[in-house]
Amino acid sequence: DAGVIQSPRHEVTEMGQEVTLRCKPISGHDYLFWYRQTMMRGLELLIYFNNNVPIDDSGMPEDRFSAKMPNASFSTLKIQPSEPRDSAVYFCASRTTQGSNEQFFGPGTRLTVL
Amino acid sequence: AQRVTQPEKLLSVFKGAPVELKCNYSYSGSPELFWYVQYSRQRLQLLLRHISRESIKGFTADLNKGETSFHLKKPFAQEEDSAMYYCALSYNTDKLIFGTGTRLQVFP
C-alpha cells in the first residue's frame, strides 16, 4: 500500500480563488481526518469522517471551508474563497477501527495564498 | 477540556547530549498517549505509544499519571534526530489531540 495519498503536494493561488485539496486514505481504513499545520498553532484537526460520514467539523475555521467524502477511497477539502491566512500545510490522515488510535498521515499539501 | 501542552517550541542540543522533550496533558481518566515525529520534508509518523512501552530509535517515554506527563527522552542525541516532535492524546473518542510541537535541533 502506498499509504495515504494527497494531491496536489503544492498549491499556489491568489486570494479569492477556490482551492480543492484531495486525499485517498489507506484501503480498508474507515476513519479519515483533515488537519491544518501552522507555525503558530501547530497541528489542528479540522474535520473527520467515519465510514464516509462527517462526525465532527468543529475545527473547520469558517464557512469558506468545506469537506466531502463521497466514497471510502476519496475525500476533498475545499476553500472558497481562499485568503492569505489560509496558507498552511494541510494533512490528511486515516486509521482503522481496529486496535489503537494510531493515525497514518499523508505527505501534506503546502498551500500558499497570495 | 482535554489539552496537550508542549512548553518548548525549540530545543537545541549537541550530539551525544541527553534529550528530554516535555509533554503534559489535562485529562482525568486513562488516556492513550503518542509521540509523532516529522522529519524534514517527510510525513508525520508515529514514533511510539505509551501502551507499547517500547524504545524506538533510542527514544522512550513513560506515562506519569500523577504528574500528567509523557516526556520523551533519549540519553544520547544524534544529528538524525533533528525533527519536529508532536505529543498527542486520545481519550475515548475517535480523535487525537496534538500539542503544538517541539522542534529538536541536534548540532554536530
Side-chain angles (χ1 to χ4, degrees), chain A residues 4-13 19-24 34-38 43 46 75-77 79 86-93 105-113, chain B residues 38 42-44:
Chain A
V4 176
I5 298 172
Q6 290 185 248
S7 65
R9 294 294 306 276
H10 301 273
E11 177 79 35
V12 180
T13 191
V19 174
T20 299
L21 311 181
R22 297 172 177 80
C23 175
K24 181 181 187 310
W34 281 102
Y35 291 91
R36 178 171 66 177
Q37 183 186 44
T38 61
L43 208 60
L46 300 177
S75 177
T76 59
L77 177 67
I79 308 173
D86 302 329
S87 298
V89 181
Y90 291 81
F91 287 101
C92 176
F105 283 76
T109 295
R110 182 173 296 276
L111 173 65
T112 303
V113 183
Chain B
Q38 186 179 24
Q42 294 187 27
R43 64 185 69 194
L44 210 66

Side-chain angles (χ1 to χ4, degrees), chain A residues 14-70:
Chain A
E14 293 187 344
M15 182 175 63
Q17 296 297 307
E18 177 180 296
V19 174
T20 299
L21 311 181
R22 297 172 177 80
C23 175
K24 181 181 187 310
I26 293 173
S27 177
H29 283 190
D30 45 11
Y31 283 88
L32 184 139
F33 304 82
W34 281 102
Y35 291 91
R36 178 171 66 177
Q37 183 186 44
T38 61
M39 289 289 289
M40 292 302 296
R41 301 171 70 99
L43 208 60
E44 302 173 279
L45 176 66
L46 300 177
I47 185 172
Y48 78 95
F49 297 82
N50 179 220
N51 292 321
N52 313 337
V53 176
I55 303 300
D56 184 349
D57 65 353
S58 59
M60 295 286 260
E62 47 199 274
D63 292 345
R64 297 184 297 106
F65 285 69
S66 62
K68 294 181 180 180
M69 192 165 186

Side-chain angles (χ1 to χ4, degrees), chain A residues 2-4 31 33 35 37 39-43 45 48 56 91 95 100-103 105-107, chain B residues 9 32 34 36 38 41-46 49 51 84 86 90-91 93-96 98-100 103:
Chain A
V4 176
Y31 283 88
F33 304 82
Y35 291 91
Q37 183 186 44
M39 289 289 289
M40 292 302 296
R41 301 171 70 99
L43 208 60
L45 176 66
Y48 78 95
D56 184 349
F91 287 101
R95 74 167 179 92
S100 79
N101 286 331
E102 179 183 358
Q103 295 181 14
F105 283 76
Chain B
K9 281 196 173 296
E32 188 176 1
F34 303 80
Y36 277 79
Q38 186 179 24
R41 298 186 180 86
Q42 294 187 27
R43 64 185 69 194
L44 210 66
Q45 58 188 285
L46 179 67
R49 71 193 85 180
I51 58 174
M84 194 75 177
Y86 289 95
S90 176
Y91 64 99
T93 73
D94 306 325
K95 301 191 292 189
L96 285 178
F98 284 87
T100 51
R103 179 167 298 282

